[in-house]
Amino acid sequence: MSYRIAIGTIDGVEVTEHFGQGKSFQILEIDQQSDEIRLLGSIEVVHSEHCGSGHDENLIQEKIQAFLDWNVIAVIVKQIGPRSERMVTKNGIEVLVFSGKIADGLDKIKKFYKRRIF
């Protein structure tokens, strides 16, 4: 069995994106048995000039819908505001706030999901 996660990153090495302002999210699939990780694609978000701080509710909902379209069950971001987090979790997507190397964040999420049965 496998599961999909989204990671807010610009460079593919570090978790760099704040959820509301995030412009780039990688979609990864993790095999629960082998821990093999596959990059499936990415979501690139275009922020309009009037969006300002990136907290436009429609834009946040568009990101969430994109995650749902990819069957993402969790998102790893550097930071997320309480309103955005509520919107994400209300849609059945778990949030992990993490700053650092993606590989370290993936270790944490794999340990978390090892304890869960799909």
Side-chain angles (χ1 to χ4, degrees):
M1 184 136 247
S2 61
Y3 55 94
R4 295 179 179 183
I5 62 168
I7 299 178
T9 182
I10 292 175
D11 62 9
V13 176
E14 300 271 337
V15 177
T16 57
E17 298 294 85
H18 180 289
F19 184 82
Q21 299 166 350
K23 296 178 182 168
S24 183
F25 296 86
Q26 288 185 347
I27 308 300
L28 304 176
E29 185 171 67
I30 302 172
D31 183 282
Q32 195 171 16
Q33 299 299 319
S34 68
D35 281 344
E36 180 182 338
I37 300 169
R38 290 184 328 141
L39 175 63
L40 299 179
S42 63
I43 297 170
E44 301 298 323
V45 180
V46 178
H47 291 262
S48 64
E49 302 255 340
H50 73 278
C51 198
S53 65
H55 294 98
D56 177 275
E57 193 164 314
N58 291 328
L59 184 61
I60 291 168
Q61 194 57 50
E62 285 178 28
K63 289 177 191 180
I64 292 168
Q65 186 58 54
F67 296 149
L68 293 172
D69 291 346
W70 277 95
N71 297 313
V72 165
I73 64 167
V75 61
I76 300 174
V77 290
K78 189 172 185 174
Q79 190 175 12
I80 188 169
R83 187 180 74 180
S84 294
E85 185 171 8
R86 280 191 303 277
M87 289 175 69
V88 173
T89 58
K90 179 178 156 189
N91 281 277
I93 301 171
E94 297 191 56
V95 176
L96 173 65
V97 176
F98 181 81
S99 182
K101 298 217 177 283
I102 290 172
D104 296 335
L106 289 173
D107 286 343
K108 287 184 179 285
I109 208 154
K110 286 190 290 186
K111 286 177 185 172
F112 176 77
Y113 282 109
K114 279 281 189 205
R115 292 177 274 173
R116 296 187 66 175
I117 299 171
F118 288 94

